[in-house]
Amino acid sequence: MRVLVAPDRFAGAVTAAVAATALAEGWRESVPSDVVRALPLSDGSAGLVDAVGAALGGRLVPVTVPGPLGAAVPATVLHVPGQAGGTAFVEADQVLGTHLAADRAEAAVRSTTGGLGALVLAALATGAGRVVVGLSVPAAAHDGGAGLLAQLAGMAGAEPLTSGGLALTGLTPAGAAAAVSAARERLAGVDLVLALSDDAPLLGLHGAGAVLGQDPAVGPVRAQDLERALGHGCDVLERAAPPIPRRSLLAVEPRSAGTRLARSPGTGAGGGSAFVLQLLGARPLPGAEVVATAVDLAGAVAEADLVLTGAAVLDARSLTASVVATVARAALPRALPVVAVADEVQTSRREVSPLGISATYEVLDAGRRGRRPGAGEGLGALRARGARIARTWSV
């Protein structure tokens, strides 16, 4: 039997690569005769570079860029050779992840997305004709993408683009037009793709600002003040930004009249970086699908008799946009059984069946639920779960 193990990351420090290895080892322990292939995946958030690198190889370029509060942080660009200079992959979580800001209240008003701008510039320096930026919600920075825009426009020391969470407050139409034009010139000829793990807008009741307000360290009042400031700045940017030439590789479909980009789905990721990058012409796509295409998930599924996938949480949202859903959709036309594992399963069999998911399992048995296992115990539990699934599903 040929088994494809293609999970996302799990809770804690269990990356997709580590989870795939643990599940595959457990399967092989139970049924050594089966051919098991591990293919770690990502939805565009943490683990994007590792997942793509494990499947495609390529050159890892280490860089040091500013973190959300200005302190230098290490990051990595993955350059995969190919036509037109190949593709460079960058992961916003490396420079904007919430783990980089212990004081979330301070980060809400002082943080900057400038580090992501520096990371994108490092990707451009590889000579890649295509740059994929993995972005997620939430992020440590929430400046509406102002710091990123300043970096790409070559205005890293200019105000008001680098003054933290309220960076867009004093932005003038002339300054906005100049910054957007300069950044677009820097990106000219590059196919810029956003691998989004979340389709939340930047502004609005269900936007990234609302998510920020749910954090007790920030609170709704501070989040609302920040949203008003960002709303004004985003409006100035959108009105002042020159139209994107349709002949450019950066061209995107125009929005209908009256539609504000900052309130559109997929602009809230990376503290608003997704908003600015789309304003510059980037193409927003579901992150799980971007990664699946890059690592040829369809080809791997075609060679399998069963697919084992998983993630930290399997809930209603993950049935439409997630690694698990993407894997299930890839297997459905071939009528392959798909088994899903998660730290927490919040769906019923009736809900997952339309996707072609045959069964779901939690990592820990019922008697051990309700507590978070340590890293070592978590890996042991994944191996054990993989072994038990193999005994049930291997033929």
Side-chain angles (χ1 to χ4, degrees):
M1 185 173 183
R2 301 168 300 175
V3 180
L4 175 65
V5 181
D8 195 355
R9 62 193 173 107
F10 282 70
V14 181
T15 66
V18 169
T21 299
L23 289 167
E25 287 176 350
W27 191 291
R28 293 189 187 103
E29 288 172 5
S30 284
V31 190
S33 59
D34 284 351
V35 177
V36 184
R37 177 185 175 184
L39 184 68
L41 298 174
S42 170
D43 64 358
S45 57
L48 169 70
V49 168
D50 287 343
V52 176
L56 302 182
R59 179 170 63 99
L60 290 172
V61 182
V63 296
T64 300
V65 299
L69 293 175
V73 298
T76 306
V77 175
L78 172 66
H79 180 238
V80 179
Q83 295 182 348
T87 302
F89 294 85
V90 301
E91 184 182 311
D93 192 74
Q94 294 182 345
V95 296
L96 298 179
T98 55
H99 62 284
L100 296 173
D103 189 338
R104 298 187 299 277
E106 179 189 24
V109 295
R110 288 195 55 244
S111 57
T112 174
T113 55
L116 180 58
L119 196 56
V120 172
L121 292 178
L124 296 177
T126 66
R130 183 170 181 260
V131 175
V132 176
V133 183
L135 291 160
S136 61
V137 177
H142 193 77
D143 67 352
L148 177 143
L149 178 60
Q151 283 281 348
L152 295 181
M155 305 164 61
E159 295 289 347
L161 287 178
T162 54
S163 58
L166 302 179
L168 296 178
T169 306
L171 190 61
T172 64
V180 171
S181 295
R184 285 181 182 169
E185 184 175 352
R186 181 74 66 91
L187 295 169
V190 176
D191 181 19
L192 190 60
V193 177
L194 307 186
L196 302 176
S197 71
D198 195 296
D199 63 355
L202 175 57
L203 304 176
L205 292 176
H206 304 289
V211 173
L212 187 68
Q214 295 170 5
D215 188 330
V218 179
V221 174
R222 182 172 294 182
Q224 287 172 5
D225 290 341
L226 181 57
E227 173 125 341
R228 281 193 292 269
L230 288 182
H232 170 74
C234 290
D235 189 54
V236 172
L237 270 176
E238 290 188 56
R239 293 177 185 278
I244 300 173
R246 294 300 299 163
R247 64 180 181 276
S248 170
L249 284 175
L250 295 176
V252 294
E253 292 297 323
R255 300 183 307 281
S256 59
T259 302
R260 293 186 61 186
L261 176 61
R263 295 184 179 274
S264 299
T267 55
S273 297
F275 159 70
V276 164
L277 290 171
Q278 288 184 57
L279 195 66
L280 300 179
R283 297 186 291 124
L285 297 171
E289 294 181 10
V290 172
V291 174
T293 300
V295 305
D296 191 21
L297 173 64
V301 166
E303 297 176 352
D305 300 309
L306 179 143
V307 183
L308 176 59
T309 185
V313 178
L314 183 59
D315 56 12
R317 176 191 170 278
S318 63
L319 299 183
T320 57
S322 70
V323 164
V324 172
T326 300
V327 169
R329 283 193 291 266
L332 190 59
R334 297 181 175 275
L336 292 182
V338 175
V339 178
V341 181
D343 291 313
E344 298 179 32
V345 175
Q346 301 174 6
T347 56
S348 66
R349 181 167 183 174
R350 184 176 181 178
E351 290 173 308
V352 301
S353 292
L355 270 179
I357 297 176
S358 302
T360 60
Y361 299 89
E362 289 195 333
V363 175
L364 295 179
D365 293 323
R368 300 163 63 197
R369 293 173 192 161
R371 64 182 183 84
R372 191 67 57 122
E377 183 186 4
L379 294 182
L382 276 172
R383 289 192 201 95
R385 180 57 73 188
R388 290 195 291 275
I389 291 173
R391 289 194 292 271
T392 302
W393 288 89
S394 182
V395 294

